[in-house]
Every structure is written in structure tokens, then in C-alpha cells.
Amino acid sequence: MTAHAHRLGSLQMASFIADGALRFDGIVPRALADAALAELAGGGPPSPFGADPSSPAAAWAGRPLAGLFRDWPALTAVLDLPAVAGIVGSLLGPDPIYDHHYAHVIAPGQDWSQPWHADAILDPRRAAFDIQLLFFFHDTPREMGGTMYLPGSHLRRVNEYAIARYQNFVGQESMACPAGSLLVCHHGIWHCGQPNRTDRSRTMFKLRLGPRGAQRQTWDTTDVRDPRIGKILSRDHGWYGHEVRLEIANRIRLWRALTGDPRFDVDLWLTRLENEPR
């Protein structure tokens, strides 16, 4: 089946806008996950961070993703999986742009926990977004840590480590998962790495991608009028307190931009603000 057949539906897109993340357990077949993990263990592909200026990887940022990992056939095959390509295409549109990647490897017996943070404080976009693909190619039980993330945090911009003083949030979720799992995040999601209390290394492969053009109706929109969309966009993740209405308003604005429908609303949250004479 082609990537087009694996596009997200409108309910899934609305969940991404409300939660800032979508989780797909076991989306990568085990044999391919093992092969991709072996490629990472072998040192490739090199990260642009700290790369020699003369190396090809140093010039990858801003280039189309297609073909960049050609020397790593397993990782290329992972990204070419129709299910994975369908997710990426639904969120970004065709021919995504490479931003960066990194293989995070946490040693056995690591008790240190990464502070809560957000990656993209310098990104001011409100009607567009990058995505981060977090691949877990081996089984990652809770005692191995995984990535902790906070659903619904992605549209609340914070200076990178301004939230580092917090230890736990209501509604936080841990990426404890089977091999071959994928977490797709909005670039602004709050997250942190967790301790690895096992006797095995933990590896997470992160790849950030951006859109080439406008992100408008890039998914399967046959259900775009489903009445459940409004309920999804109104989710209260529990940690906002009374400020959840601000989050809902921001989600409505983003949904309008993605659908091209400037009149879409939920319970008149924005319509009541737009009744001033012009």
C-alpha cells in the first residue's frame, strides 16, 4: 500500500493539534527495527551537530529529506515505510525538509533524569509547525526510561529550560513501548529523557523535519466535518487549571489554518471575539 493510503484522518489530525503528539506502537517491523538499530550502533548517519564543515552532513539542514540517508539502507527503509511516510506527509505535506537528527544513547545504570524542556523557543510560527519523529527500535520498558512528554504543552511556548524546576506534571506520559515504536511530536512539545535503571543501553533516534510549503489539507479530509473534532480540540489535559480556554483558542486558530476554514469554531470561542465592526 502507498503512503497516500496511509494518510491520517481528520480525527487523528485533531488529536495531534490537541495533544501535540501521536503514538504508534510497533509501526516498524522487528527485523527492520533491529537493522536500523545496528546502523546507529555502527556510527551512522553522522549528526550535523559538531560535524566537520567539509563533511556532507554539515550541509544537510534545509535540504529535502529524500536521499539523505541513502548510505544507511535500514533507516531509509524505515522512513519509506508507507505507514511512516503517510504520517509525515499528513502532517507536513510532500517532500519534507530535513532539520536535524540525533541518536540519543543512554548508558546502563544511568540515574540522571534530563530536566523538562522545550526545544523550539526561537520558533515563532503559529500557523505552521515542524515535527520530531522519535523512534524506539528496541523494547523500552518503563525501568529503561524512554522519553517523558506532556500532552497539550506544544502551543505554550517557554524558554527552553524555564520549566526545568518541575519534576512531574498531571497527565505526563512515558514512552515505554515495544520495539519499532514511534512518537511523532509537534516541535514545541515539553519533554525530558528518563533514567535508565537497566543493565542495557537505551537508544532513541530523533529526526526533526519541516514543511516545504503550506500545511493545508495535507491529510485525508473526508471526515473533516466530523462533529467529534470540536470535542477533541476541547480536551483538558488537567494541568492547565483555568487556563485551558487559552489552549483551546490556540488550537482553533491552528485548525483554521490547516483546514483553510476561517470560520471554524468550537463553542464560539473565537467567533465571540470577532464581532467588532471593521
Side-chain angles (χ1 to χ4, degrees):
M1 297 180 68
T2 65
H4 185 81
H6 284 269
R7 287 182 301 164
L8 301 176
S10 297
L11 298 181
Q12 289 174 297
M13 283 295 297
S15 290
F16 182 85
I17 300 309
D19 300 344
L22 291 172
R23 175 174 173 157
F24 302 91
D25 282 8
I27 194 171
V28 180
R30 173 73 71 155
L32 183 54
D34 289 344
L37 190 62
E39 287 184 349
L40 295 177
S47 171
F49 292 118
D52 187 298
S54 63
S55 70
W60 281 3
R63 292 178 57 185
L65 172 67
L68 289 185
F69 292 164
R70 65 174 62 92
D71 293 333
W72 295 273
L75 287 171
T76 295
V78 167
L79 297 174
D80 285 345
L81 285 170
V84 173
I87 294 164
V88 172
S90 295
L91 293 166
L92 297 179
D95 303 321
I97 299 299
Y98 172 91
D99 185 277
H100 74 275
H101 76 273
Y102 198 81
H104 293 269
V105 181
I106 306 301
Q110 172 61 266
D111 290 329
W112 178 79
S113 178
Q114 185 183 36
W116 280 98
H117 65 284
D119 288 345
I121 186 60
L122 296 179
D123 192 329
R125 292 173 296 170
R126 296 292 182 179
F129 54 85
D130 288 359
I131 60 173
Q132 299 200 90
L133 307 176
L134 278 57
F135 287 100
F136 298 81
F137 291 127
H138 58 72
D139 291 327
T140 308
R142 184 66 185 92
E143 60 269 22
M144 188 174 270
T147 299
M148 189 78 76
Y149 64 101
L150 185 61
S153 59
H154 54 300
L155 300 182
R156 182 170 294 207
R157 304 301 169 80
V158 295
N159 195 9
E160 186 174 2
Y161 278 101
I163 51 176
R165 63 185 181 275
Y166 296 107
Q167 299 297 312
N168 292 284
F169 292 93
V170 171
Q172 65 189 25
E173 295 189 14
S174 172
M175 197 60 187
C177 57
S181 295
L182 168 64
L183 181 69
V184 185
C185 299
H186 184 285
H187 68 253
I189 200 78
W190 299 6
H191 63 284
C192 59
Q194 295 289 284
N196 177 11
R197 297 190 171 94
T198 71
D199 58 0
R200 294 165 291 150
S201 293
R202 180 181 86 235
T203 299
M204 183 271 282
F205 179 68
K206 181 181 77 171
L207 172 63
R208 178 165 172 163
L209 302 174
R212 177 183 292 273
Q215 292 158 281
R216 180 164 294 175
Q217 298 188 18
T218 49
W219 66 97
D220 181 353
T221 60
T222 55
D223 58 345
V224 75
R225 301 297 178 187
D226 193 306
R228 290 174 289 179
I229 289 174
K231 294 185 180 299
I232 293 172
L233 294 177
S234 299
R235 284 177 184 163
D236 184 350
H237 295 94
W239 60 271
Y240 308 110
H242 294 296
E243 296 180 2
V244 66
R245 296 176 181 179
L246 301 177
E247 304 301 327
I248 295 172
N250 285 332
R251 297 170 196 163
I252 295 169
R253 292 186 180 100
L254 182 52
W255 189 254
R256 287 180 173 187
L258 295 177
T259 60
D261 180 1
R263 305 311 303 168
F264 176 86
D265 210 348
V266 177
D267 296 331
L268 298 180
W269 285 119
L270 294 189
T271 302
R272 63 165 53 94
L273 307 179
E274 297 168 338
N275 61 356
E276 292 183 302
R278 299 182 180 239

